[in-house]
Amino acid sequence: MSRAFKGFTLIELVAVIMVLAVVGLGGYGYLRFGSQFYVDTAAREQALNQGRFVVERLSRELRNAVPNSLRVSGSCIEFVPMAAAMRYLDAPMSPDKGDSIKALWITPSGATPADGDPIQWDSGFFGSELWVIVNPTQSGQLYSQDPGRIVPLNGSAYDKTHGYYNLTLADTVSFAKDSPSRRLYFGGQPVSFCQQGGALYRYQGYGFQASQPQPGAGLGDGVLMAEGLSAGNAPFSIDAPILQRNAVVHVLLRFRAISEDDMFFNLEIQLPNVP
């Protein structure tokens, strides 16, 4: 007995191949859309997290800067961080000269210092040396280290009986003008934030320089704060303080997107103008 076998015809085979091709292309498009959507979402989430971190860091540090210490050049912003503030009882004001200041201790969240205790600060953040700053009105007075506005602190000791600190200055000085509120600031090492290409870096520990330093020209290795920024963008600008308002720092960070419009972080930071 013979058995009959049936196979595919050429037309049927071609039809099956075409159907499989259409189904495959449809499935590929679906999978490609899903994977691209995931990649775009992850990239935007990363940019969003970086932007939030940088904005929060900049806001905290700039708001804690010594008044009138900010300056902008190119893609860099520089300021003097404030380690502490006090009100002075007695300070050498022009034409008088001296090398000591009596300053009231303002109660912080911690315990009252013991008799003879020096001023404490975070040397890892502010540097190993503090500067006493009185009535700064222009950033150039600080970075050129005008002796009438800024002088290194040599030592300090708390007088528990009278409730104030005796501050010893590194030099005999004559401050140019009284602060309207008799306030003095303790400033640390200057700090800079600079955008280089698509990355934002933070610099510290390079010292006071009359001309604002730039990466590779006064600034050494920085700490990476964010990456994926669009190059060619001026990230910082300052509205100088006037009698009617405080200084305002404008921060514009533009993060590159993979397949959508760039992501912008536009921030205005108001800085107290209280010398």
Side-chain angles (χ1 to χ4, degrees):
M1 181 176 64
S2 62
R3 181 177 298 177
F5 292 94
K6 285 189 176 182
F8 291 105
T9 65
L10 180 60
I11 295 176
E12 290 173 333
L13 184 59
V14 171
V16 170
I17 292 174
M18 292 181 64
V19 170
L20 291 176
V22 171
V23 173
L25 288 173
Y28 169 76
Y30 178 78
L31 293 175
R32 181 177 179 276
F33 173 79
S35 61
Q36 187 64 45
F37 179 78
Y38 172 79
V39 170
D40 291 349
T41 302
R44 292 182 68 82
E45 182 68 21
Q46 182 181 10
L48 184 63
N49 290 336
Q50 286 194 94
R52 287 172 175 168
F53 167 75
V54 171
V55 165
E56 180 67 20
R57 182 69 181 261
L58 278 169
S59 298
R60 289 178 180 238
E61 291 206 37
L62 292 177
R63 288 195 176 104
N64 196 48
V66 173
N68 300 316
S69 69
L70 276 79
R71 59 180 180 176
V72 170
S73 178
S75 61
C76 294
I77 186 168
E78 185 179 24
F79 58 93
V80 177
M82 179 175 60
M86 292 185 177
R87 296 186 186 275
Y88 58 84
L89 298 173
D90 182 29
M93 294 294 162
S94 180
D96 297 331
K97 293 184 178 182
D99 60 359
S100 64
I101 296 176
K102 290 182 175 63
L104 285 173
W105 177 69
I106 301 175
T107 305
S109 57
T112 303
D115 193 45
D117 278 356
I119 294 173
Q120 303 290 333
W121 72 91
D122 182 356
S123 59
F125 184 85
F126 295 102
S128 59
E129 184 177 17
L130 291 185
W131 282 261
V132 178
I133 302 170
V134 176
N135 197 17
T137 56
Q138 299 176 13
S139 62
Q141 297 167 345
L142 302 180
Y143 296 105
S144 63
Q145 295 190 289
D146 181 351
R149 307 286 179 170
I150 178 172
V151 61
L153 176 68
N154 190 48
S156 60
Y158 184 64
D159 186 333
K160 189 172 183 179
T161 302
H162 300 94
Y164 57 69
Y165 274 99
N166 287 304
L167 309 178
T168 305
L169 308 179
D171 301 303
T172 299
V173 299
S174 177
F175 288 107
K177 191 175 181 180
D178 253 322
S179 164
S181 54
R182 300 182 69 82
R183 181 181 283 108
L184 64 81
Y185 298 95
F186 295 98
Q189 286 275 359
V191 172
S192 290
F193 282 84
C194 299
Q195 181 177 339
Q196 291 180 264
L200 183 72
Y201 294 89
R202 182 183 184 276
Y203 300 86
Q204 70 177 56
Y206 54 85
F208 287 86
Q209 301 182 33
S211 298
Q212 186 169 351
Q214 299 293 314
L219 296 178
D221 295 332
V223 177
L224 180 65
M225 293 283 107
E227 54 189 352
L229 294 165
S230 293
N233 178 55
F236 307 110
S237 62
I238 298 177
D239 291 339
I242 57 178
L243 292 177
Q244 289 78 19
R245 61 161 173 77
N246 293 325
V248 178
V249 178
H250 300 273
V251 180
L252 178 59
L253 300 177
R254 179 179 178 181
F255 288 87
R256 296 190 302 268
I258 294 179
S259 61
E260 299 183 22
D261 294 335
D262 289 351
M263 184 181 296
F264 291 85
F265 285 84
N266 195 353
L267 179 68
E268 291 186 352
I269 305 172
Q270 293 196 25
L271 306 178
N273 177 32
V274 188

